Amino acid sequence: MLSADVVVIGTGIAGCSAALAAAERGASVALLTRSSRPEESNTLYAQGGIVYTGPEDSPSLLTRDIISASAGTGSGQAARMLAEEGPGLVRELLIERLGVPFDRDPRTGELDLTREGAHSVRRVAHHRDYTGRVIERALVRTVLAEPSIQVLSGTDALELLVVEGRCAGVRALRGGREIVIGASATVLATGGLAALYEHTTNPPLATGDGIALALEAGASVGDLHYVQFHPTTLYVPGGDRFLISESLRGEGAVLRDSEGREFVRHPLGSLAPRDVLAREIWEMMRRTGESCAYLDVSHRPAGWLEERFPTIYERCRAAGIEVPVEPIPVVPAAHYSCGGVDTNVWGRTSLPGLWAAGEVARTGLHGANRLASTSLLEGLVFGWRAGLDATRRPQSPPASESLQGRERQTVNGHKPDRGELSAAWARLRRLMWERAGLARSGEGLRAGLAELDGIGAALDGEGGYEALRLRRALAVARSLLRSALADARSRGCHYRVDCEEAVLADISR
Ligand code: SIN
């Protein structure tokens, strides 16, 4: 059995931030990631940037924008905390200590801040269109160099160990063997669930495993049905939904229909909050029978696009789209989970000994819809807070006898046929898109729950790691659909077609 003061599950910005904060407090940390490359996380793929602070900005203005984008449902306390602590942490940790190379104005040397939807001012720091990559690489370099942090790559958490009502560490799979890591504090930083959907911006492993672990351990989970759909992802028939960053709209790109008309009715136009915009695109497609909207980037020359948005430029060119002469065909796709494991502003969950931070957590910050580019900042701030709090009143580590024999050989047992498994995943993802996507109804959600039961029944008696992963995904999907069914109010990214009135009011905010 291994042991550490703090075990952190997940190596994205929230996990690395928690690990660094705990290590700074003198704790020994085991930092787990199931990937063989520690930087492989949702953070790595973030394009637009991280909220910092602009010249005409203030914590109260940022707080106001967060709450307004959330359709008035976000937590004022969490938003204020993010707005007050976030910019300082970006400066001290990311810029000064880690040396993250955010883009600067070559003339003044000042940070080149961009704007995104529903932000009142320019305040988003970025590195071209691959901000997540430079932040994640700097974080991983730092945790790997920190002597009190042991990074365990290729280690997948299978179960949170609960001893006498307290989380006492984790049972994990490493190199085909089960291991137990005992810890006085466990921090979940496993990211989101948007890859449960057929169309998503997320990497395939983002299927809500952390939420499943928390549910199994008995921790409280909330607002899972608040799934944010990013309005603009590349539409290539049969292709993956590649993210077309909101910062492109922040730099002047405009949404149009196939006739070249601006169709968004919101006063902020192409910079309206994401939930509003995703719905406007969906409605336009429904009205016109078109299969996508178009992002007009013709206001900028090719050279500028290639320099400022190299990833998007290349991807479009590879798909045969001659930007900026041709517009980019775009559709919404599942992007971010605003709900998750319930925590307070220190990341404490309802289960003693367990903290959660980043996308897996629900501090209440985003309410029913997240403000653009707050996700990296949320991971940084609340990951840091969770790391500090996890070392605040250290409990004695669990006695090794209490954890002995916790290896359960989950990976053994009859393994289902690979073809059947991948068909079951495809069914799950399709039903999530159709039943719990941009537009939902009570009838559709009930049908979705019955379909989930059908997929689950086919897994009866099956064992092995892949069956366990699918079972977890089904458990998360079930909670999400139940929560959507229980909420008959259309708010933010939860749109019930059987509650139309609330949505129409929402469009004008
Ligand atoms: C984007 O670049 O549009 C995504 C950033 C975010 O989700 O906040």
Side-chain angles (χ1 to χ4, degrees):
M1 187 183 110
L2 301 173
S3 70
D5 296 325
V6 180
V7 59
V8 179
I9 309 170
T11 50
I13 190 166
C16 288
S17 179
L20 287 171
E24 198 167 284
R25 287 287 174 104
S28 62
V29 179
L31 178 57
L32 271 58
T33 170
R34 64 175 152 201
S35 170
S36 55
R37 295 184 326 132
E39 65 264 31
E40 182 57 41
S41 62
N42 242 349
T43 301
L44 189 70
Y45 300 95
Q47 292 184 3
I50 183 165
V51 167
Y52 183 49
T53 185
E56 283 128 41
D57 206 358
S58 68
S60 58
L61 192 56
L62 174 55
T63 304
R64 209 184 67 193
D65 287 352
I66 292 171
I67 300 299
S68 162
S70 76
T73 58
S75 148
Q77 187 199 19
R80 265 192 306 281
M81 209 142 270
L82 188 87
E84 278 162 14
E85 296 179 10
L89 208 49
V90 170
R91 190 180 56 253
E92 285 155 32
L93 183 62
L94 297 187
I95 300 177
E96 292 171 4
R97 181 167 159 198
L98 273 64
V100 174
F102 292 117
D103 286 350
R104 291 180 181 272
D105 181 320
R107 286 168 299 122
T108 62
E110 296 295 323
L111 286 176
D112 173 40
L113 301 171
T114 193
R115 205 181 153 193
E116 291 192 31
H119 284 275
S120 304
V121 293
R122 286 185 171 262
R123 56 161 76 101
V124 179
H126 63 92
H127 180 88
R128 296 178 158 192
D129 63 357
Y130 49 91
T131 312
R133 200 188 312 164
V134 291
I135 293 179
E136 180 63 12
R137 289 193 175 154
L139 282 165
V140 166
R141 237 187 351 261
T142 310
V143 294
L144 286 171
E146 174 58 56
S148 52
I149 300 177
Q150 186 185 11
V151 179
L152 297 170
S153 305
T155 307
D156 194 8
L158 297 175
E159 183 191 8
L160 297 173
L161 299 171
V162 181
V163 178
E164 292 168 6
R166 189 179 169 82
C167 185
V170 62
R171 181 168 66 89
L173 186 65
R174 181 169 165 77
R177 279 189 37 239
E178 291 198 21
I179 59 168
V180 163
I181 307 171
S184 20
T186 301
V187 182
L188 269 180
T190 46
L193 52 72
L196 285 176
Y197 284 81
E198 184 175 17
H199 302 300
T200 178
T201 60
N202 285 205
L205 287 179
T207 54
D209 287 282
I211 290 166
L213 290 170
L215 282 169
E216 280 162 21
S220 152
V221 164
D223 286 349
L224 284 192
H225 59 305
Y226 289 152
V227 177
Q228 179 171 75
F229 295 85
H230 197 289
T232 55
T233 69
L234 181 63
Y235 174 68
V236 176
D240 290 341
R241 298 291 189 255
F242 177 75
L243 181 67
I244 302 295
S245 176
E246 186 150 340
S247 48
L248 203 47
R249 281 177 279 123
E251 296 295 343
V254 172
L255 277 165
R256 300 188 189 279
D257 64 16
S258 61
E259 305 288 322
R261 289 179 299 238
E262 282 190 55
F263 60 88
V264 178
R265 292 166 291 174
H266 191 278
L268 289 174
S270 297
L271 283 176
R274 281 186 187 167
D275 58 327
V276 174
L277 218 47
R279 235 173 356 254
E280 290 263 323
I281 294 173
W282 176 81
E283 283 196 359
M284 181 278 287
M285 287 164 57
R286 201 177 54 158
R287 219 171 34 243
T288 60
E290 294 289 338
S291 36
C292 61
Y294 294 89
L295 193 61
D296 177 358
V297 290
S298 61
H299 65 300
R300 292 282 196 171
W304 182 88
L305 280 172
E306 191 175 5
E307 173 68 20
R308 172 67 180 83
F309 293 97
T311 321
I312 293 173
Y313 182 84
E314 279 309 316
R315 186 67 176 241
C316 288
R317 291 281 172 140
I321 304 154
E322 290 293 314
V323 284
V325 181
E326 286 183 280
I328 306 173
V330 289
V331 284
H335 183 58
Y336 190 89
S337 169
C338 299
V341 184
D342 289 320
T343 70
N344 69 5
V345 289
W346 287 102
R348 283 191 210 179
T349 71
S350 63
L351 177 65
L354 181 68
W355 282 255
E359 192 175 347
V360 71
R362 175 192 166 274
T363 56
L365 170 69
H366 311 301
N369 180 56
R370 178 172 70 81
L371 177 68
S373 278
T374 48
S375 57
L376 292 175
L377 193 65
E378 174 191 31
L380 185 72
V381 170
F382 291 105
W384 189 263
R385 287 183 144 252
L388 293 183
D389 198 55
T391 54
R392 214 187 290 278
R393 278 185 290 275
Q395 304 281 321
S396 13
S400 57
E401 311 83 70
S402 63
L403 295 178
Q404 251 145 33
R406 299 299 286 253
E407 293 89 343
R408 283 205 206 142
Q409 301 303 317
T410 321
V411 286
N412 291 335
H414 177 264
K415 296 188 179 48
D417 174 79
R418 270 184 181 280
E420 278 167 24
L421 262 180
S422 70
W425 273 105
R427 246 179 98 193
L428 166 62
R429 291 189 161 119
R430 193 161 319 116
L431 90 81
M432 291 300 287
W433 183 253
E434 285 167 1
R435 308 293 194 189
L438 270 157
R440 302 152 176 188
S441 69
E443 198 189 337
L445 290 162
R446 273 187 289 274
L449 280 164
E451 288 171 53
L452 287 174
D453 287 346
I455 302 174
L459 269 182
D460 273 355
E462 302 289 6
Y465 176 69
E466 293 304 329
L468 171 115
R469 280 213 60 232
L470 180 55
R471 251 187 217 107
R472 280 179 181 172
L474 289 170
V476 176
R478 222 172 266 122
S479 296
L480 191 157
L481 263 68
R482 281 200 193 118
S483 149
L485 190 57
D487 187 354
R489 274 174 308 180
S490 288
R491 289 194 301 183
C493 41
H494 175 57
Y495 173 28
R496 289 273 301 255
V497 289
D498 40 0
C499 323
E500 195 90 30
E501 264 174 47
V503 166
L504 292 177
D506 197 32
I507 278 179
S508 61
R509 86 173 183 268

